[in-house]
Amino acid sequence: MTDQGPENSSHDSPEESPPNSQRPEISSGNRISTIWIIPVVALVLGIGMVVYSFINEGPVVEISFNTADDLVAGKTKIKMLSVDIGYVESVALKSDVSGVVVSAKLEKQYENLLKEDSQFWVERVRVGTSGVSGLGTILSGAYIKLSPGIGSEGRRQYLGLEAPPLTAIDAPGVHLVVESDHASTLSAGDSVLYNGYTVGRVESMLLDEDSQKLRYDVFIDAPFDNLVTAGVRFWSVSGLSFSASAEGFNVTVGSIDTLLSGGLSFSVPPGVNAGTPVEDGTMFGLYDSYQDSLQQ
């Protein structure tokens, strides 16, 4: 028999595994894949932005006007004291086509300006007996002006004014009503005089359907409101008046304002008790002239 060497005997031993071989480990724990981190963070940020936007969202108001002249959605500003406080979002016709409704958004910090008696009007170039106003809008364009009221907050629908108010809501003074049995040359904006000095203005004129009289809303500025007492009488002034007597003709020429448009004047007639200062809403009659006001 042939003797097998030791070097040949190694071929008969079983093959051993490499000492560095690794086997896969299987974990039984539940883990969230890192691939979901990005969408979760994006969702949280999105919700945060929505909540922040909702909390800081400014109020939206609806303002009705007769026409949409000079109003452009996304462009026309809302201003107060020449400061931008909002803008027009949309302009649409009313359902009955009687005018337009302007939807405007104000900045959150100006929400407290929306009072029960706040006023809105379109500021544009206007020419009237009192002069030319709104010249600044020639370059900047028309805008909606806000005058805050003094009432309670929270209102969101308003009837816009077709012309700027002649008197601010919080202006010191006294509001009066002067009634006349027939039409006169008076109109809104006319001056109210005391001894030839302008102390107030006619704010509006309307026909009272119940009494069939013309009603003039008048405002007297402070401190001249103390001049309006229970004994005063109002009369119409046209700036140029004639009177005749046994001594001849008398011609009275008023101020430039009354020459152009007319106005009101008042005083306490001689021999009449002046009385005490009046309150808001006191009603007076209107005399045709100063001579008529002297009648007892």
Side-chain angles (χ1 to χ4, degrees), residues 229-248:
T229 59
V232 304
R233 295 181 182 178
F234 285 83
W235 65 89
S236 179
V237 290
S238 61
L240 183 65
S241 61
F242 299 88
S243 63
S245 64
E247 299 177 356

Side-chain angles (χ1 to χ4, degrees), residues 116-199:
E116 185 64 29
D117 49 356
S118 295
Q119 296 175 322
F120 293 86
W121 67 92
V122 179
E123 191 74 10
R124 57 168 69 95
V125 176
R126 287 184 171 87
V127 180
T129 57
S130 58
V132 181
S133 62
L135 290 177
T137 60
I138 294 178
L139 298 177
S140 65
Y143 59 88
I144 297 178
K145 196 168 184 178
L146 165 63
S147 174
I150 57 177
S152 58
E153 299 181 13
R155 186 174 178 181
R156 292 295 182 267
Q157 293 182 329
Y158 295 88
L159 179 61
L161 304 178
E162 296 306 315
L166 299 174
T167 305
I169 293 177
D170 56 351
V174 62
H175 293 270
L176 307 172
V177 177
V178 178
E179 282 192 336
S180 176
D181 293 326
H182 54 273
S184 67
T185 58
L186 290 174
S187 60
D190 288 350
S191 301
V192 178
L193 310 176
Y194 181 83
N195 290 338
Y197 184 79
T198 300
V199 297

